Amino acid sequence: MFLQIAGAIVKVVAETKTLLRLAALALMWGSSFLWIKIGLQAFTPVQIVLIRTALGSAVLVGLCYAARDRLPAGRRIWTHLLVAALFHNALPFLLFAIGEQTVSSGVTGVLNATTPLWTLLMAVLMGVERRLDPPKLTGLLAGLVGTVLIFAPWQESGLLSWGALACLAAAVSYGFVFVYEGKHLSGTGSSPVALAGAQMTAATGFTLLAMPAGGTTPVHLSAGPVIAVVILGVFSTGFAFALSYRLLATEGAVTASTVGYLLPVVSLALGALFLGEDLNPRILAGVAVVLAGVALTRVRRRVLVQTSLRSEAQRESS
């Protein structure tokens, strides 16, 4: 009896820790769009991304050496890391910052939530996903419908603009690179934090190359934007990436992926609460459709087969 109670307590504690980690990750990633919006009051998009990647890489490399890990070596792995750094960090970070010059932080978080849809589409195009079963195809179509509903190009007050398209392009970039990383950077033998640290360092180098195109604008420093960009780099980039890999290692991809459902909720709530951003019924309906589509794309084929077999067995026994 004592052992059963002790086991139940251990299980509750473990589940509580997992929920707290998910909540912390959702808050750090979901709030990143708020910090970008505040940072734009003093910095250009290129400057924000440079500070973000530099601070993020410092945190990740520091954690790597604290754990006595080594950064990856070898030309082949660094070639793949350069591609990942461009499409997972430098480019989408810059596109989100550019987009938020005209798009609210809440809607930016919603557009980021379409990433799993683009990941599925890229997996099909790159030959990783052999076929689309009905739930995934339905989810993909539903997500696209939800995105169009958010944009509302048929309305003068719709969100279809270059800024919104930049945010959507950032989500597409994530979709491509997630498939690419799965093919070329999984099973390398390096720790995930070491890979992330090397990747973020390379992204800092890419951003430095972009400095002549908007990075040399004079900065008018004030406390709010500076604090926002520091939080963005240290917590929403550095520690957030490390925590996400910790969740992947301890809880698995399915549990870790649930944070994606929380990001638009966090970004919309923070935008409305701290920036006074508008939440109209059309955008909320689009969010619901997008998240429903994402949920459908994550239905596992094995679950569907087991459900079908269970139903068949029930029919035969009745």
Side-chain angles (χ1 to χ4, degrees):
M1 183 66 178
F2 175 78
L3 292 177
Q4 291 179 344
I5 295 175
I9 292 175
V10 170
K11 184 177 181 181
V12 169
V13 171
E15 291 178 350
T16 301
K17 286 183 177 180
T18 298
L19 290 175
L20 289 175
R21 288 170 182 165
L22 284 171
L25 186 58
L27 182 60
M28 286 191 285
W29 272 345
S31 66
S32 63
F33 308 106
L34 171 67
W35 308 130
I36 292 171
K37 179 67 78 173
I38 296 174
L40 286 169
Q41 296 173 8
F43 302 96
T44 67
V46 175
Q47 291 167 348
I48 288 176
V49 176
L50 178 61
I51 299 170
R52 178 181 187 177
T53 54
L55 291 175
S57 63
V59 170
L60 288 166
V61 171
L63 291 174
C64 174
Y65 281 106
R68 297 184 178 180
D69 289 329
R70 291 185 177 182
L71 293 178
R75 188 170 66 177
R76 182 176 181 181
I77 190 171
W78 270 97
T79 300
H80 295 312
L81 281 172
L82 288 174
V83 175
L86 178 61
F87 290 100
H88 196 160
N89 304 115
L91 181 60
F93 287 178
L94 182 59
L95 288 172
F96 278 130
I98 291 173
E100 283 205 54
Q101 291 178 310
T102 56
V103 179
S104 70
S105 65
V107 171
T108 304
V110 173
L111 295 177
N112 178 66
T114 64
T115 294
L117 306 174
W118 305 115
T119 303
L120 175 61
L121 185 60
M122 291 295 175
V124 173
L125 294 177
M126 295 170 68
V128 175
E129 185 81 23
R130 297 284 180 90
R131 52 174 298 199
L132 285 176
D133 52 39
K136 289 184 178 179
L137 180 59
T138 304
L140 182 59
L141 295 176
L144 296 178
V145 169
T147 304
V148 172
L149 185 59
I150 293 169
F151 278 150
W154 58 86
Q155 292 185 359
E156 291 185 5
S157 60
L159 294 174
L160 188 58
S161 65
W162 287 112
L165 292 176
C167 295
L168 196 63
V172 175
S173 180
Y174 281 149
F176 160 74
V177 80
F178 285 157
V179 179
Y180 184 90
E181 289 171 348
K183 289 182 65 175
H184 301 290
L185 288 176
S186 61
T188 60
S190 299
S191 77
V193 175
L195 288 173
Q199 183 176 312
M200 199 69 69
T201 302
T204 306
F206 280 127
T207 311
L208 281 171
L209 295 177
M211 285 296 287
T216 57
T217 303
V219 177
H220 303 285
L221 294 178
S222 58
V226 170
I227 293 172
V229 175
V230 169
I231 293 174
L232 175 68
V234 173
F235 294 99
S236 296
T237 305
F239 285 114
F241 269 77
L243 182 57
S244 68
Y245 288 128
R246 174 73 180 273
L247 274 171
L248 279 171
T250 58
E251 306 299 332
V254 175
T255 299
S257 67
T258 58
V259 73
Y261 297 97
L262 302 175
L263 297 188
V265 177
V266 173
S267 66
L268 286 169
L270 293 178
L273 185 61
F274 293 103
L275 301 176
E277 295 175 349
D278 182 39
L279 290 179
N280 61 61
R282 190 197 75 247
I283 292 178
L284 294 177
V287 173
V289 175
V290 166
L291 293 182
V294 170
L296 283 171
T297 63
R298 292 182 175 180
V299 173
R300 293 182 175 274
R301 184 176 178 86
R302 182 176 61 184
V303 173
L304 294 175
V305 172
Q306 290 175 346
T307 303
S308 176
L309 292 174
R310 191 180 300 113
S311 299
E312 184 67 26
Q314 289 174 347
R315 283 197 299 269
E316 289 179 355
S317 62
S318 61

